[in-house]
Amino acid sequence: MLIKKRSGIKIPSSEITPKQWYLSRRHFMTGAAITTTAGLLAACRSGQPVNTSGTAADSQAAEAAATAGVVPTAGLMVDELGDPVNAYKDITTYNNYYEFNTTKDGPAKLAQDFPTSPWEVKVGGLVKTPKTYGLEELLKFDQEERIYRLRCVEAWSMVIPWNGFPLAKILNEVEPTAEANYVRFETILDKENMPGQRSPFFPWPYVEGLTIEEAMNDLTILATGLYGEPLLPQNGAPIRLVVPWKYGFKSIKAIVKIDLVAEMPTSLWMASAPNEYGFFANVNPEVDHPRWSQATERRIGELGRRATLLFNGYADQVSHLYPDVAYDTNTTAR
Ligand SMILES: Nc1nc2c(c(=O)[nH]1)N[C@H]1C(S)=C(S)[C@@H](COP(=O)(O)O)O[C@H]1N2
Ligand SMILES: [Mo]
C-alpha cells in the first residue's frame, strides 16, 4: 500500500510504524487532537519557529490510511522543517553501536539482553554537589518530546522523536564550579555483555565531551525514550546524550558517568582517528570528511540524497556558540 505525502513522495507501507506504537504514542499525547498533532509537536520545541504547514496534509494522509486500516505515524509527526519522523523500525534496527559490533543491523540483535536496570549515572568532577542518579530519579525530570534530525558523520540521517530532558537540568543541580569548562561523558564498560568491547581496536569505554556552553544549550538533551517508549538497548538505553547539531557520534549511549572538567576531554574518536574526528564535530556541509563529502546525506527511508544543512539545520539556536566558524565547525582535530 502506498500513502501519498504532501511532498508527492510516496511512503511504502514498510515505512509505516506499526499501530501498537501509534497507540502507545497517543497515550502520552493526552489532550492533543490528532489532526493538529504535527503542529503541536513542532510547537513543543522550545525556541523553534513553528511550521504547521504539514498538518492538514498529514491528517489527510492519516485519514486515508485509517480508512485502509493502517495508521501512518511516520506521516503524522514532522520536524520543524516539515520532514516526517523515521519509522520506529528504521530507528531501532539501523544503528551505530560499536560496543556490540560495527554493522548497522547487529546492535538490535546483539543488544537484546543487555541489562539496563538497575542503572546509575554518577555526576561529579568540578561541581559543588556531586550526585549519583538512579534511573528512577532521572525519569522524574519532566520528559519532553523533541523531534530531532540525527546526522551521522557517515552521511546518512534520520528524524527521531526522542523523549528526554535538557542536560542543563542535571548540571544546574550539581552546580559546576568556576573552573569547569567542559563536560565529559562515559559509556558503561561491560565486556561481558558488550562483545565489541573485547575488541582491542578501540580505547574503551566510549567517551565524549562538550563545552559547558554546548552542554547547557536547550537543544542538548539526555534521552530516555523514543516514540513514547523506553529506549531499546540498541538506541543507548537506559540513557544517552542527544546533541542534534553535531555529528551522531557525539550523542553517546548508555551513559554511566558525567564529569565536569577543566581541560578538553579526549573522546574515543579523537583518540582512535585524530586526523578524521575532532572535538567539536559540528555538522558542516562545507567541511568534508578526509575520505568523503559532507555536502549531502541519505535520509534513511528516502531515495536519493538531500543537502546537508549547516549545524544540521539548528544554526539559529547554536551559531552564537561559534563566533569563529571556520575554526570551530571543523570536524578534524585542531
Ligand atoms: N557508546 C556509544 N555511543 C554511540 C555510538 C557508539 O558506537 N557507542 N555510536 C554513535 C554514532 S556514530 C551514531 S550515528 C549514533 C547512532 O544512534 P542511533 O543508533 O540511536 O541512531 O550513536 C552514537 N553514540
Ligand atoms: Mo555516526
Side-chain angles (χ1 to χ4, degrees):
M1 198 196 82
L2 291 167
I3 309 270
K4 196 139 196 311
K5 287 288 301 162
R6 76 195 149 84
S7 55
I9 297 166
K10 289 179 176 175
I11 301 183
S13 54
S14 60
E15 293 289 317
I16 290 168
T17 299
K19 190 169 185 173
Q20 66 190 104
W21 297 115
Y22 166 79
L23 290 174
S24 59
R25 206 168 54 76
R26 276 194 78 175
H27 214 62
F28 73 87
M29 294 193 313
T30 346
I34 252 3
T35 48
T36 58
T37 299
L40 285 175
L41 289 171
C44 283
R45 305 262 335 266
S46 45
Q48 286 291 304
V50 178
N51 177 346
T52 52
S53 62
T55 307
D58 286 336
S59 69
Q60 264 172 29
E63 274 166 40
T67 319
V70 179
V71 183
T73 301
L76 265 174
M77 296 165 82
V78 295
D79 66 10
E80 84 286 4
L81 304 178
D83 288 317
V85 296
N86 275 85
Y88 188 78
K89 192 160 190 289
D90 289 343
I91 301 170
T92 55
T93 57
Y94 190 92
N95 301 103
N96 268 340
Y97 205 167
Y98 280 26
E99 282 83 343
F100 291 94
N101 74 18
T102 57
T103 69
K104 294 291 180 278
D105 60 349
K109 296 171 197 154
L110 295 166
Q112 257 177 46
D113 300 321
F114 177 69
T116 58
S117 160
W119 194 274
E120 282 184 344
V121 181
K122 199 174 171 193
V123 188
L126 302 172
V127 298
K128 290 187 194 121
T129 45
K131 186 169 172 185
T132 298
Y133 293 85
L135 188 59
E136 324 70 53
E137 285 169 279
L138 295 166
L139 291 168
K140 279 189 199 141
F141 289 105
D142 262 355
Q143 306 290 308
E144 305 172 28
E145 176 162 88
R146 301 287 186 100
I147 301 177
Y148 285 160
R149 293 171 288 287
L150 177 110
R151 170 56 160 85
C152 176
V153 74
E154 298 161 345
W156 54 265
S157 65
M158 292 201 207
V159 181
I160 304 180
W162 300 107
N163 307 101
F165 57 93
L167 172 64
K169 290 201 176 173
I170 284 192
L171 298 182
N172 288 334
E173 279 195 358
V174 298
E175 300 177 280
T177 65
E179 293 74 47
N181 299 317
Y182 296 92
V183 187
R184 181 185 183 278
F185 306 84
E186 214 175 277
T187 295
I188 193 171
L189 187 62
D190 182 354
K191 284 196 195 325
E192 194 183 324
N193 293 299
M194 292 175 143
Q197 285 185 341
R198 292 173 219 150
S199 157
F201 295 109
F202 294 99
W204 307 109
Y206 201 99
V207 167
E208 262 305 338
L210 296 173
T211 66
I212 200 151
E213 292 80 15
E214 292 172 334
M216 292 297 288
N217 189 280
D218 184 60
L219 286 177
T220 304
I221 61 165
L222 287 172
T224 55
L226 62 88
Y227 264 99
E229 294 294 322
L231 283 185
L232 293 179
Q234 60 267 37
N235 293 108
I239 188 157
R240 60 93 58 84
L241 184 71
V242 182
V243 198
W245 72 94
K246 292 178 178 284
Y247 290 114
F249 65 82
K250 297 293 291 183
S251 293
I252 179 174
K253 297 176 172 181
I255 297 167
V256 289
K257 206 161 171 283
I258 301 177
D259 282 315
L260 281 288
V261 295
E263 305 294 325
M264 180 184 283
T266 302
S267 69
L268 174 135
W269 288 110
M270 287 161 74
S272 321
N275 51 337
E276 299 197 352
Y277 306 107
F279 178 80
F280 286 98
N282 294 316
V283 175
N284 186 347
E286 287 173 13
V287 179
D288 289 339
H289 186 277
R291 291 182 281 132
W292 58 83
S293 164
Q294 295 292 22
T296 64
E297 65 199 57
R298 182 171 63 94
R299 178 66 48 86
I300 301 302
E302 280 182 9
L303 298 171
R305 301 182 75 80
R306 49 165 72 213
T308 285
L309 305 174
L310 181 62
F311 294 115
N312 202 21
Y314 301 98
D316 286 353
Q317 294 99 306
V318 299
S319 56
H320 69 275
L321 298 170
Y322 313 99
D324 186 353
V325 169
Y327 160 82
D328 273 331
T329 57
N330 200 327
T331 62
T332 59
R334 44 185 195 142

